[in-house]
Every structure is written in C-alpha cells, then in structure tokens.
Amino acid sequence: MPFESDIGSDAPIGIFDSGFGGLTVARAVVDQLPNEDIIYLGDTARTPYGPRPIAEVRAYAIECMDRLVTHGVKALVIACNSASSAALRDARERYDLPIIDVIMPAARRAVAATRNNRVGVISTLATATSRSYNDAITAAPQVTLTTQPCPRFVEFVEAGITGGDELLAVSREYLAPLQRADIDTLILGCTHYPLLSGVISYVLGDEISLVSSSDECAKATYQVLQRRELLHHQPRQAQRLFLTTGDPTDFEGIGSRLMGGFVQDVQKITL
C-alpha cells in the first residue's frame, strides 16, 4: 500500500538529496516559490551515492523519503540524480504524493535547446550506469546523447573548490570526449555541478548551452503544484527546516560555504 496523503497547500515541500548538492535545488525552489515552506534532508552520513550500487542507493533513498513523508510534506522532490535514477519508480508507487525528479525536466529542456541534436550529460557513475538520461530522451530519437561520468567534481564542490589549476585540468580531461562529440548542449546531471558552471563554460566555450538539472527541477515543482492547486499565492513568511543524517555542524558549515547564509539551524536525525 502506498503512503496516503490528503494534505493541502499549507504543508511543506520535502526535498531529499544524498548530501549537499541538492541545496542547489532547494535554493532554486525557494527562489521560484518564495511563499513555500521546505524541509530538506541530506543523507550526509552515507554520501556519496554516486559510486554505490543502484540497489543500495534505492534502499537509502526510500528510507529518507519515508522520513520526509512522516513530516506531512505535500510533495517530494528527489534532488539527486543518482537517487532519481535508482528510486523514482519505487517512489511513485509508494507515495500518494506528487513526486518531482531532476532527470526528466532537464532532459526535456536539453531536447528543446539543442540546435544540432547532439546533447551531452555529465553525471555521477551511478547515474551514468543507470542510463536514466538515455531513457528520458527516447521520445526524441533525432537526439544523440553522449554521457560522461565526472565523479571528482563532487569532491571539489564539497571542498569548496570552484577554480584553480587542478580543477581546470580535471575539467578538461572530463569534458574532452564531449567536445569531440560536437555537442551544443550540456546537461549538468548532478546537482553539485551548477556550482562548477563557471569552469565548465570556460572549458567548453560560451557557445555550449548549459542545462541545470536544479533549475529545471524547480520549474517542474512549480508546474506540478500549480496543476494540483497546492501553491501558496499570497506573500508569507516561509519556513525552512534542514535535516541531516551526519554532523549538523559540518552540514551547516559546508552548506553556508556553498550557498551563503541559506543554510541555518541544521538538525541531526537518525534513520
């Protein structure tokens, strides 16, 4: 039986990620839906998900989403490409709630944006192995997709490194196959990667369009809640709750370094 819900627009939006990258989604949701309460859960005790087997990622993701549902959320945003790849189908069967992922919205935007029908996606190993983006663009057979795993990008972001010679060298190595494939559109297929859009654009050139899975996920969240008549339309003081399975001081420190003063008063939970 799925978790059932009859909650209305006053409930918060639940946002889940394996760690810190999903904060880019949370920030985009807050920017686009400023009147909405959010609860963010980062599974930092078990991050990163990217190198883990799909079955393990699925189990962890379900545990985290179960916890968010107990908070009475009105929608679940899977702000993690690896978790979206592993657990989206299970989530839609398990919960009687709107479920928004990061993969399909970004894929749709990339298909609309490409001019030469050659699209690239950079991602974690788990997302690349799942071939989720390949599945997402099957409705556009004219598009050729080139996938490039970029596992070290997450390490750089969480260390607060967004420039420098080492990152530039790694970026050139990762992005070279995409340049050889003559892509004109690149999906940032991990929610950490928008924080590296500067170095990515520097290596690829301004003529390559970057599609942020974080921004597209936030747009999709607006659209889904609008259709369900679950949005707050009047100005209000929205609340934000940040939860982590790891060390809350570390989470707040890294979150603040990545997102300014967006992350505050982090609470630790045990799953």
Side-chain angles (χ1 to χ4, degrees), residues 8-267:
S9 61
D10 288 338
I13 299 168
I15 304 174
F16 154 67
D17 182 47
S18 61
F20 305 98
L23 291 171
T24 62
V25 175
R27 184 58 180 265
V29 168
V30 168
D31 287 347
Q32 296 184 36
L33 295 86
N35 301 319
E36 300 296 334
D37 298 337
I38 67 165
I39 302 176
Y40 181 94
L41 195 166
D43 190 13
T44 53
R46 300 182 292 198
T47 196
Y49 282 7
R52 296 183 183 275
I54 292 292
E56 190 172 37
V57 174
R58 181 181 298 114
Y60 290 169
I62 292 296
E63 285 183 353
C64 291
M65 289 187 285
D66 280 355
R67 181 57 178 266
L68 283 173
V69 169
T70 67
H71 283 269
V73 297
K74 63 184 176 185
L76 280 170
V77 178
I78 308 177
C80 173
N81 282 263
S82 299
S84 292
S85 300
L88 178 60
R89 183 175 299 176
D90 300 81
R92 286 181 170 156
E93 293 175 354
R94 187 174 181 85
Y95 311 113
D96 182 25
L97 290 168
I99 310 291
I100 301 97
D101 73 300
V102 285
I103 291 173
M104 187 58 74
R108 283 197 297 263
R109 177 61 188 150
V111 168
T114 183
R115 303 173 302 280
N116 69 359
N117 290 324
R118 295 178 183 178
V119 172
V121 58
I122 53 176
S123 68
T124 65
L125 289 169
T127 300
T129 301
S130 73
R131 295 180 61 83
S132 296
Y133 278 98
N134 299 74
D135 294 341
I137 66 166
T138 52
Q142 77 279 9
V143 173
T144 299
L145 184 69
T146 302
T147 302
Q148 176 63 42
C150 301
R152 291 196 62 197
F153 276 175
V154 172
E155 300 171 18
F156 283 109
V157 168
E158 295 196 352
I161 299 170
T162 58
D165 291 343
E166 185 181 7
L167 175 59
L168 185 58
V170 170
S171 299
R172 284 174 169 153
E173 178 184 349
Y174 281 157
L175 300 174
L178 300 169
Q179 291 174 307
R180 291 194 293 270
D182 193 30
I183 67 163
D184 73 350
T185 303
L186 178 66
I187 301 169
L188 306 181
C190 173
T191 50
H192 285 72
Y193 295 174
L195 296 167
L196 299 179
S197 58
V199 69
I200 292 168
S201 286
Y202 179 79
V203 172
L204 291 179
D206 291 338
E207 67 275 12
I208 305 301
S209 299
L210 302 186
V211 175
S212 165
S213 58
S214 300
D215 288 343
E216 297 308 318
C217 179
K219 292 175 187 175
T221 301
Y222 180 96
Q223 293 166 2
V224 169
L225 294 182
Q226 174 66 30
R227 288 196 297 268
R228 300 288 188 98
E229 299 183 347
L230 289 173
L231 285 177
H232 280 291
H233 293 293
Q234 297 301 316
R236 59 190 292 273
Q237 186 64 46
Q239 303 297 310
R240 304 173 197 158
L241 174 61
F242 295 95
L243 308 173
T244 180
T245 58
D247 185 293
T249 302
D250 287 348
F251 187 97
E252 186 164 340
I254 295 173
S256 296
R257 185 165 69 242
L258 297 177
M259 308 297 293
F262 180 69
V263 179
Q264 298 178 353
D265 302 324
V266 180
Q267 299 178 21

